[in-house]
Amino acid sequence: NHTLLSYEILKTHQIPIAGIVFNGPANPSGEKFILNHTVLKVLLRVPELNKIDPEIIQEYAKQIEL
């Protein structure tokens, strides 16, 4: 729900969206619904993390292919 609401707001305001980052435990049916509805590509999948800091964000950002 949060992903779809964010998508709609960004689309309404004509803000470009490169794709989606899924985080936490996998939810195949939910992810499929989101991808079909938005027609966006998956940029990255991030597992559930105990800690998020600038270094961890930097490491995951390097994995994104635009």
Side-chain angles (χ1 to χ4, degrees):
N1 189 33
H2 293 70
T3 303
L4 294 177
L5 289 172
S6 297
Y7 168 77
E8 292 298 333
I9 292 295
L10 292 169
K11 189 173 117 180
T12 297
H13 292 282
Q14 300 177 341
I15 297 171
I17 308 168
I20 295 179
V21 174
F22 287 115
N23 68 306
N27 179 345
S29 63
E31 293 174 14
K32 182 178 178 182
F33 181 85
I34 290 167
L35 295 174
N36 287 337
H37 179 77
T38 63
V39 193
L40 294 170
K41 66 179 181 176
V42 177
L43 298 177
L44 182 68
R45 294 178 185 276
V46 178
E48 188 170 347
L49 301 171
N50 292 328
K51 172 183 144 182
I52 299 176
D53 59 27
E55 291 80 24
I56 290 173
I57 293 170
Q58 192 82 23
E59 286 303 312
Y60 279 104
K62 290 176 188 175
Q63 297 177 34
I64 295 177
E65 295 182 26
L66 300 176

